[in-house]
Amino acid sequence: MAFLELTDIRKQFGQAVAVEDFNLKVDRGEFVSFLGPSGCGKTTTLRMIAGFEIPTEGSVTIDGADITNKAPNQRNVGMVFQSYALFPNMTVAQNIGFGLRIRKESESAIKERVDEMLALIHLEQKGHSYPSQLSGGQQQRVALARALAIRPQVLLLDEPLSALDAKIRVSLRAEIRAIQRKLGITAIYVTHDQEEALSISDRIVVMSQGHMEQVGTPFEIYNFPQTAFVASFVGTLNTTTAEVVDSAKGILQIDGARLATAEKLDGRQKGDKVTIAIRPERFSFASEQKKANVVDCRIENITFLGSIVRIQVSIGSGKYFMDTFNNPFLELPKVGDKDQVTCSREAVLVLKD
Amino acid sequence: MKKKINLWAWFWIVLGALYFLVPLYGTFDFSLREKRGVLSLLAYQNVLADPRFRDSFTYSTLMALATIVVGLLLIVPTAYWVHLRLPQVRPLIEFITLMPFVVPAIVLVFGLIRIYSGPPLALTNSDQLTNFLLMCGYVIISMPYTYRSVDTGLRAIDVRTLTEAAQSLGAGWFTILFRIIFPNIRAALLSGAFLTFAIVIGEFTLASLLGRPAFGPYLVYMGNNRAYEPAALAIISLALTWAAIGLIQLLSHGRPGQEQVGGVH
Ligand SMILES: Nc1ncnc2c1ncn2[C@@H]1O[C@H](COP(=O)(O)OP(=O)(O)OP(=O)(O)O)[C@@H](O)[C@H]1O
Ligand SMILES: [Mg+2]
């Protein structure tokens, strides 16, 4: 049985539906991210686990106990907020010890736990500082320690890194993940940053407009997006409409080219329209190696992105991106050149409608 | 160029200071002239020797403290709840708290007397209950100031997120209010308390019509019957008020860890 279960969750604010048909089972110690654009219901779902919102329908259980209607302060759930939300009138140590003090633990137990937490976040020297004397990254680490100090059953993080600058964001997310692993705590992490979600999670729930689009490991989400939304939201992706030519052999016609796909086209008739997607890195120039799909194209634009060179090509009337690794001996084509690109049958993804 | 601006700044500061200090000095000077031809503290001696002075000032100080406590206990949770859950009723609450500016104290006190001088709630029959009634009146007339200070204080902190953070750590409403909200709007609470103190100490209408021995009516009584003592009284009450305010300031600064927070704001 899963540790944290959300079953048939629906949340309405007045007439507006914020979340619906939400079903998720999270195992003990798992790190799950909710990923999606602004307003898709990530925070609302998280707040239902924390108890700040009560679902209109459905249930939330932790470790078999139904907590759907429990008050937030009756649950044992730690929460980390985007704005840190440290208590400005308390020192770092008092902030971390706050939850333990509420639980009426002994002063010596509190001190021990606070020291342990300070060591965990590498801020041993800052116990007597006030939050306003710390940097944003340090404050968020304190907030994390404060949430963990109470030994919560589940740790919830709502865009904890959005207020920080890029470098700290990357190092702190690694730190959060390391701490989560070390403590083996079940964590739900909300973000709208796909790179963050891909790098940090065991599993990702991609959300759009209040419902789940796809649940899977970062590998699955990136390589096998099931819907056009997931495909476009996670990573860069070329999508276009194609017409089914031969569903048994997986032959599709796009404007200006014929492509073969390895995916099953069960139930599709000749002439049906489908949406297909191809990752930029799955394209290569046909001269490099022969693959199933070789297509005439014209070079439209070349962008240098450091380790990657992104080339825009046109096939028929459509424009597509193609990524190649940069290296000093790379012979780049020129804009306006005619060339041939290729991709494997497996690279041509057929998306659900 | 820079010099010139500084000069003007000083000019205005001095002008402003004179505006306040000249009348004060005038009063002070006058208060020393009870004995013909020499400067003396006779007026002060007379005032301090008068038991009614001590009694009325003590009475009003206690009333002011009670008003501050009751007013804050009423206003802070209300303003907090409005911030947290009912932002849409804020205009209504603001309107209500402005009522004391619109309705004169004399109207308020007649209303109180009419309602509470007969059954079912005959409060004016006993001194203690009349004191209570007077304090309620004070809470009302100080409400515009208290509410505005508290509201400003609450706007300066992230009420909702701090509340939720405390809740997720297991805190109930009482803990949240007294351990998180009150300490973090301390400056606002203090300024509300100062204003309330200043209002209650000098208040005349309510106290006099409810027949309570407060400092305001005493001041007026002296003003009507003596020449030099009222000036001395004015100076004394000013000094005492400032001393009381300083005391509150001092007491509230005594708590550990608070200074640094104040320093950041
Ligand atoms: N208290 C509320 N009252 C009314 N509508 C709300 C409330 N909270 C959220 N909503 C609505 O529910 C929807 C989902 O909001 P939510 O905050 O969960 O989005 P989100 O995915 O967290 O977005 P973001 O990335 O911007 O934080 C939005 O349309 C929002 O307007
Ligand atoms: Mg959100």
Side-chain angles (χ1 to χ4, degrees):
Chain A
M1 187 171 177
F3 186 65
L4 167 67
E5 273 193 60
L6 294 122
T7 314
D8 296 328
I9 296 282
R10 176 188 176 82
K11 178 65 188 179
Q12 261 175 265
F13 293 106
Q15 288 306 304
V17 178
V19 178
E20 62 182 339
D21 293 331
F22 199 98
N23 283 285
L24 182 68
K25 292 181 183 198
V26 180
D27 285 329
R28 196 188 288 267
E30 203 178 5
F31 195 114
V32 174
S33 293
F34 294 173
L35 173 66
S38 187
C40 71
K42 307 180 293 288
T43 298
T44 305
T45 310
L46 198 74
R47 290 169 61 81
M48 287 189 280
I49 304 174
F52 299 129
E53 308 284 358
I54 301 295
T56 315
E57 284 168 30
S59 70
V60 182
T61 64
I62 295 182
D63 207 5
D66 188 325
I67 56 158
T68 315
N69 295 304
K70 256 194 181 176
N73 58 354
Q74 304 300 315
R75 304 181 182 204
N76 195 17
V77 166
M79 180 110 179
V80 177
F81 300 84
Q82 179 178 345
S83 57
Y84 323 138
L86 295 177
F87 307 128
N89 57 316
M90 298 181 197
T91 63
V92 166
Q94 286 168 339
N95 264 282
I96 298 176
F98 183 81
L100 303 171
R101 224 153 253 133
I102 300 235
R103 283 165 174 69
K104 303 236 158 40
E105 295 200 13
S106 72
E107 279 304 316
S108 60
I110 293 174
K111 185 175 183 319
E112 193 176 316
R113 182 72 176 158
V114 168
D115 289 344
E116 189 185 328
M117 287 294 119
L118 283 171
L120 190 69
I121 57 169
H122 307 298
L123 286 177
E124 290 94 335
Q125 309 305 319
K126 297 286 186 186
H128 297 291
S129 304
Y130 282 85
S132 55
Q133 299 166 326
L134 303 182
S135 72
Q138 290 172 331
Q139 288 188 52
Q140 195 58 296
R141 271 145 69 195
V142 174
L144 179 68
R146 181 180 67 177
L148 290 171
I150 59 171
R151 299 181 177 84
Q153 291 176 291
V154 178
L155 176 66
L156 306 173
L157 307 104
D158 191 356
E159 311 211 15
L161 305 178
S162 324
L164 301 169
D165 56 44
K167 265 230 167 74
I168 302 190
R169 218 156 43 217
V170 173
S171 68
L172 192 50
R173 86 180 176 215
E175 199 173 331
I176 290 177
R177 177 61 158 152
I179 289 174
Q180 179 268 339
R181 276 219 176 94
K182 188 167 166 189
L183 303 181
I185 190 167
T186 312
I188 308 286
Y189 188 100
V190 163
T191 179
H192 60 255
D193 181 338
Q194 42 114 357
E195 186 199 316
E196 207 167 279
L198 290 171
S199 69
I200 205 172
S201 324
D202 289 318
R203 276 195 301 157
I204 299 175
V205 179
V206 184
M207 296 178 66
S208 150
Q209 297 181 348
H211 61 268
M212 311 168 84
E213 285 279 332
Q214 188 176 347
V215 184
T217 62
F219 187 85
E220 289 165 351
I221 296 284
Y222 187 84
N223 290 314
F224 308 107
Q226 282 170 3
T227 67
F229 176 81
V230 177
S232 63
F233 194 73
V234 181
T236 312
L237 200 83
N238 300 297
T239 56
T240 186
T241 2
E243 200 181 299
V244 177
V245 175
D246 185 334
S247 60
K249 289 189 181 137
I251 308 295
L252 302 162
Q253 179 72 40
I254 63 168
D255 188 29
R258 189 161 279 209
L259 293 174
T261 175
E263 290 201 35
K264 294 199 172 64
L265 292 172
D266 299 341
R268 314 271 188 179
Q269 306 290 315
K270 182 172 157 50
D272 279 0
K273 295 261 190 281
V274 294
T275 306
I276 63 161
I278 304 169
R279 292 271 177 220
E281 67 270 22
R282 304 298 296 270
F283 276 125
S284 57
F285 286 114
S287 52
E288 291 173 12
Q289 64 197 122
K290 273 273 180 258
K291 288 191 186 170
N293 299 310
V294 178
V295 178
D296 288 329
C297 70
R298 180 177 180 276
I299 309 296
E300 293 290 336
N301 197 3
I302 300 177
T303 319
F304 189 69
L305 298 175
S307 62
I308 279 173
V309 181
R310 178 159 290 171
I311 301 165
Q312 193 183 35
V313 300
S314 57
I315 301 170
S317 62
K319 292 207 163 70
Y320 302 84
F321 287 114
M322 164 178 151
D323 287 351
T324 66
F325 280 118
N326 179 29
N327 80 61
F329 310 106
L330 196 66
E331 279 178 35
L332 288 173
K334 284 186 218 33
V335 172
D337 283 359
K338 298 249 190 277
D339 212 320
Q340 281 191 322
V341 289
T342 183
C343 67
S344 69
R345 291 164 61 103
E346 288 74 23
V348 181
L349 306 171
V350 180
L351 304 175
K352 285 188 199 143
D353 310 298
Chain B
M1 190 68 200
K2 201 158 181 215
K3 260 240 149 76
K4 210 170 182 178
I5 291 171
N6 265 337
L7 225 62
W8 274 112
W10 277 110
F11 172 77
W12 290 115
I13 288 173
V14 169
L15 197 72
L18 286 178
Y19 184 82
F20 286 104
L21 292 178
V22 168
L24 207 59
Y25 174 76
T27 308
F28 180 63
D29 185 67
F30 183 71
S31 71
L32 300 175
R33 294 181 186 277
E34 180 147 19
K35 267 193 194 151
R36 212 167 279 258
V38 285
L39 296 180
S40 74
L41 292 173
L42 184 61
Y44 290 86
Q45 283 161 1
N46 290 341
V47 166
L48 294 175
D50 184 353
R52 283 174 304 172
F53 163 76
R54 217 184 40 239
D55 293 348
S56 65
F57 192 83
T58 311
Y59 178 84
S60 282
T61 303
L62 291 177
M63 288 304 277
L65 292 179
T67 306
I68 289 169
V69 171
V70 172
L72 290 181
L73 284 179
L74 183 73
I75 297 286
V76 176
T78 309
Y80 169 66
W81 201 249
V82 169
H83 266 265
L84 192 65
R85 291 290 156 83
L86 299 168
Q88 66 274 22
V89 307
R90 182 181 283 162
L92 179 71
I93 299 282
E94 281 184 354
F95 177 75
I96 292 173
T97 60
L98 281 178
M99 287 307 279
F101 283 161
V102 183
V103 179
I106 187 84
V107 175
L108 172 67
V109 72
F110 274 116
L112 289 177
I113 290 172
R114 269 201 72 124
I115 291 177
Y116 295 109
S117 63
L121 281 165
L123 300 183
T124 52
N125 292 345
S126 107
D127 280 356
Q128 283 310 316
L129 290 175
T130 310
N131 287 343
F132 174 74
L133 196 59
L134 179 59
M135 187 211 65
C136 293
Y138 285 159
V139 168
I140 292 172
I141 58 172
S142 62
M143 198 161 59
Y145 306 96
T146 321
Y147 177 78
R148 239 142 229 87
S149 320
V150 170
D151 190 57
T152 312
L154 288 173
R155 277 172 205 261
I157 60 174
D158 187 350
V159 171
R160 188 170 137 157
T161 319
L162 288 180
T163 301
E164 291 182 349
Q167 278 181 312
S168 73
L169 293 167
W173 293 116
F174 188 84
T175 312
I176 294 175
L177 264 179
F178 284 89
R179 301 268 314 271
I180 312 285
I181 301 301
F182 274 97
N184 283 308
I185 59 170
R186 212 188 79 239
L189 297 183
L190 275 179
S191 74
F194 294 163
L195 289 165
T196 305
F197 193 91
I199 290 166
V200 171
I201 283 292
E203 206 284 334
F204 170 73
T205 316
L206 291 186
S208 126
L209 285 166
L210 284 171
R212 299 309 300 144
F215 193 57
Y218 174 70
L219 280 180
V220 172
Y221 165 81
M222 289 298 277
N224 288 340
N225 295 290
R226 299 294 189 89
Y228 298 96
E229 280 78 2
L233 257 178
I235 298 294
I236 292 174
S237 66
L238 194 76
L240 284 174
T241 307
W242 278 105
I245 287 173
L247 199 70
I248 300 179
Q249 181 82 273
L250 208 69
L251 287 178
S252 54
H253 263 289
R255 301 258 305 281
Q258 307 267 313
E259 235 96 358
Q260 283 150 58
V261 178
V264 173
H265 285 303

